[in-house]
Amino acid sequence: MRPHRSNDVVAPEDYRLEKNAIRAVVLLDRAFKSNEGIGLDLGPKRGIEVLAKAVDGGLEPTAWVLRVVRETVARSAPSSVASAKSALRGWATFADQILGANGDHLPPSPQCLAAWAQLFKRADTSSNYIGYLRLGCDILDLDHSCVNNPLVK
């Protein structure tokens, strides 16, 4: 398990997510298909009232915070969801079939990202796809500094 960043919400062990790029795809899909943002877009006063009732009814606040954060990150680029899913699936396939990752896809090493980028015909496509891997890392609350490494640029 990676060390938490200073602004991380610490969750019980069962809410921590694995490092699987396909899991990021599922969460990305869920962010656009679900309406689990309990208390969102109601204004602070009404939102707190709704959340308080949900917590009284059994909603786990830490799990809710993590879900809202993941959905917020996922919704940050709604016009490119299909491309983000394609990038994450492509990376997962490369990581499993070529690197032997066995589902441990994210975060990638800068060296592996640089090698993957060489497979693309266009530099702007590889750059976009690497950006989507950063989104996947953010959705799964993983370190994404690998995409800023000079090897990857």
Side-chain angles (χ1 to χ4, degrees), residues 19-56:
K19 299 177 178 182
N20 190 293
I22 301 305
R23 175 77 173 147
V25 170
V26 170
L27 292 171
L28 192 58
D29 268 343
R30 187 177 299 160
F32 288 93
K33 293 180 181 172
S34 72
N35 190 15
E36 296 181 12
I38 299 167
L40 300 180
D41 300 327
L42 298 175
K45 183 178 180 180
R46 181 70 182 129
I48 291 169
E49 290 170 1
V50 169
L51 273 171
K53 287 180 184 176
V55 168
D56 288 344

Side-chain angles (χ1 to χ4, degrees), residues 14 80 82 144:
D14 59 331
S80 50
H144 61 253

